[in-house]
Amino acid sequence: MVGKLSDDTLMSGSRISVLFCWLIAKQEHPYATPNDELRRSIAAADGETIENDVHIEKAYCGNMVEGAIAEDVCEVLELGEPILSPPVYTSDDGNWQCSLDALANVKETIIAFASDIVEIEDGSSCVSIDGPIPIEVKTTEAIYDGETPLWRGPVQLQMQMMAVGAKYGILATVHRGNRRHYKIYKADSVMMTAINGLCQEFRDRVNSRIFYTPVNVDDCTKTHPGIRTDKIELHSLYDDVEKLVSLRESLQDTANEIDRLQTKIMQSMQDKEVAQIGKYEVKWPIRTYKAQPEKVTPAKKERTIRLKTLQIKG
């Protein structure tokens, strides 16, 4: 069982999907932003200690079983005995590092067939594979729905194929501990070119300390902590402020109307928990909280944060 093995000052296989999703695919990544990753690498470059993701309980449990899952992949596809947690690979240009959960070396071409467990990326019923085959293992609480999001392995697997010069790689996902899904991907030269570009830019930004354009409000508050009190002129954004004010007013009107309607219905229900109103069954539920001992809040150091809501005066 291993956690993250690569150098935190460099982009890596476990982090590249954050950049790819936001900057190339224009999709949200559920766990991080490009600037989150940049801050992490800058901190590492400055010698700050960063918590290893192996200590996160979900990651810890996943790491415990990844060897067994990789071995099962090789047994199902008859790939032979895999190498578990091979040494970290560093790109020739030094811009990124990549670790693998497992690596199969198929010396003679074999035919892998699609099945209830095995899927081939392009929908084929079979594929001929040989050479080095990286295996990336994922465990997830998500129900298998036939889709694999980019942030849960496909981008990472492309970097792993780049690392070992593979024509194919396998993403082995176990859903909710009871559903295996082993998907065979082909090396994608377009994705690989994009990955190389992202890694070069990322390394340049670590060195220059120039952050990416923030992707959401939370990212803005972290990227621009606010230390200047002088006013800035931004008249080109007038229409945006007007729209924001209008949307806030509309949202408040909606919230007020929701409150009025709920009050009316609750007053009519009184002490009843359920009411039938036409085709709707309306529930006004009760929640019971168990008694808890008094807690003493530990002392906190003074700190300053950037708020997440703009204050607008007109």
Side-chain angles (χ1 to χ4, degrees):
M1 180 191 73
V2 295
K4 191 175 187 301
L5 299 174
S6 51
D7 183 350
D8 271 319
T9 65
L10 299 175
M11 183 43 55
S12 66
S14 61
R15 303 164 65 197
I16 187 60
S17 66
V18 176
L19 302 188
F20 194 94
C21 284
W22 285 108
L23 303 177
I24 303 298
K26 307 301 180 183
Q27 299 176 9
E28 290 189 14
H29 189 287
Y31 302 120
T33 70
N35 283 327
D36 287 333
E37 297 301 340
L38 186 54
R39 277 185 284 272
R40 176 174 178 169
S41 287
I42 290 173
D46 290 342
E48 297 180 18
T49 301
I50 299 174
E51 182 182 9
N52 195 314
D53 58 5
V54 73
H55 297 299
I56 300 173
E57 188 64 17
K58 289 182 181 179
Y60 185 91
C61 293
N63 289 335
M64 289 177 64
V65 299
E66 66 182 23
I69 295 172
E71 289 173 343
D72 185 66
V73 171
C74 290
E75 182 177 342
V76 169
L77 293 172
E78 299 181 354
L79 303 181
E81 193 71 21
I83 301 170
L84 301 180
S85 300
V88 173
Y89 294 85
T90 303
S91 64
D92 292 338
D93 56 16
N95 286 335
W96 53 269
Q97 287 188 340
C98 187
S99 60
L100 278 62
D101 290 334
L103 178 67
N105 284 298
V106 181
K107 297 179 179 180
E108 295 185 5
T109 301
I110 65 168
I111 299 177
F113 293 91
S115 66
D116 291 340
I117 297 173
V118 178
E119 179 185 0
I120 299 170
E121 182 186 17
D122 62 4
S124 300
S125 60
C126 64
V127 63
S128 298
I129 58 176
D130 60 12
I133 309 290
I135 302 170
E136 174 58 26
V137 176
K138 300 292 183 185
T139 57
T140 176
E141 296 175 341
I143 296 173
Y144 174 69
D145 60 3
E147 299 294 331
T148 304
L150 284 174
W151 51 265
R152 198 193 293 140
V155 181
Q156 183 176 0
L157 187 63
Q158 289 294 328
M159 180 179 272
Q160 292 173 344
M161 284 188 270
M162 292 166 64
V164 299
K167 294 179 290 185
Y168 292 94
I170 301 170
L171 178 59
T173 307
V174 174
H175 295 263
R176 293 198 161 191
N178 60 15
R179 174 67 162 84
R180 292 173 294 169
H181 179 235
Y182 300 159
K183 190 169 183 177
I184 302 173
Y185 287 83
K186 186 177 182 179
D188 186 325
S189 61
V190 174
M191 285 185 71
M192 290 179 175
T193 298
I195 288 170
N196 268 325
L198 290 171
C199 293
Q200 175 66 65
E201 180 187 8
F202 185 83
R203 191 180 189 188
D204 291 343
R205 287 181 181 274
V206 172
N207 293 329
S208 66
R209 310 299 168 98
I210 297 176
F211 285 86
Y212 296 95
T213 300
V215 296
N216 54 37
V217 170
D218 186 58
D219 196 12
C220 279
T221 62
K222 295 176 182 177
T223 304
H224 306 296
I227 54 175
R228 296 177 57 181
T229 58
D230 52 315
K231 185 180 292 187
I232 185 174
E233 302 289 334
L234 296 173
H235 300 299
S236 63
L237 297 179
Y238 181 82
D239 289 343
D240 296 281
V241 175
E242 284 268 274
K243 186 174 182 180
L244 177 58
V245 171
S246 176
L247 287 170
R248 282 182 175 179
E249 290 174 349
S250 176
L251 188 63
Q252 186 60 55
D253 290 342
T254 300
N256 291 339
E257 182 64 7
I258 289 173
D259 186 78
R260 185 189 71 79
L261 293 170
Q262 283 206 131
T263 301
K264 181 179 180 180
I265 296 167
M266 286 174 171
Q267 176 58 30
S268 298
M269 291 178 69
Q270 297 186 12
D271 290 331
K272 299 292 186 180
E273 287 191 42
V274 184
Q276 190 68 40
I277 304 176
K279 65 178 182 180
Y280 297 104
E281 181 181 87
V282 180
K283 291 185 178 181
W284 183 3
I286 293 173
R287 179 178 296 163
T288 301
Y289 293 92
K290 295 182 180 179
Q292 295 182 346
E294 182 180 3
K295 296 181 179 179
V296 178
T297 303
K300 294 182 179 180
K301 294 181 180 180
E302 180 179 329
R303 62 192 181 113
T304 301
I305 63 170
R306 199 78 185 268
L307 300 183
K308 299 181 181 180
T309 302
L310 296 173
Q311 298 175 354
I312 301 174
K313 295 181 180 180

